[in-house]
Amino acid sequence: MNQQQLMQQARKLQAQLAKIQEDLGHETVVGSAGSGAVEITLNGHGNVERIKIAPAAVDPNDVETLEDLLLIAFKDAQAKVTELSQKRMGPLAGGLSIPGL
C-alpha cells in the first residue's frame, strides 16, 4: 500500500469516526438501580439527559440508600454508553489494514 492510499484510507476512517461520534450524541441509554426506582438516561457521549426517581425511593431518614441507588444507576448507564460506543466503532477497527500492525 503506498502513502497516498494510506492517507486516503485514514481520511475515510476519520470521516466515518466523525459520523459515528455525531450519531452517538443522538442515542441514549438508561441505567437503573433498585428495580427501576432510580433511572439515569445518558446520551452516547456520556452526558446526563434525565434522572428519574420513584417517590418510594425518597426517604428523608435514609438518604444514603438513595445516594447509593443514584451511583449504581449512573455506573450502569456509563457501562452501557461504553458498550454502545464499542459496538458502533468496532467495525472501524476491523477495517484497518495497516501493514506491520
Side-chain angles (χ1 to χ4, degrees), residues 29-42 46 48 50-54 57 65-81:
V29 298
V30 178
S32 65
S35 299
V38 173
E39 293 182 349
I40 296 181
T41 303
L42 301 181
V48 177
R50 179 173 187 242
I51 297 175
K52 179 183 168 197
I53 301 172
T65 297
L66 179 57
E67 291 171 342
D68 289 344
L69 290 173
L70 285 164
L71 184 60
I72 292 167
F74 186 72
K75 287 181 177 182
D76 183 42
Q78 281 183 317
K80 290 177 180 179
V81 166

Side-chain angles (χ1 to χ4, degrees), residues 7-20:
M7 291 301 293
Q8 222 174 12
Q9 186 177 10
R11 281 192 293 275
K12 181 180 175 185
L13 287 173
Q14 187 177 22
Q16 290 173 330
L17 180 60
K19 175 69 172 134
I20 290 170

Side-chain angles (χ1 to χ4, degrees), residues 13 16-29 44-45 80-95:
L13 287 173
Q16 290 173 330
L17 180 60
K19 175 69 172 134
I20 290 170
Q21 286 293 332
E22 180 183 337
D23 291 346
L24 282 172
H26 300 292
E27 297 192 46
T28 59
V29 298
H45 293 152
K80 290 177 180 179
V81 166
T82 300
E83 182 181 328
L84 178 65
S85 294
Q86 289 174 347
K87 185 176 169 183
R88 296 291 188 266
M89 292 188 194
L92 286 183

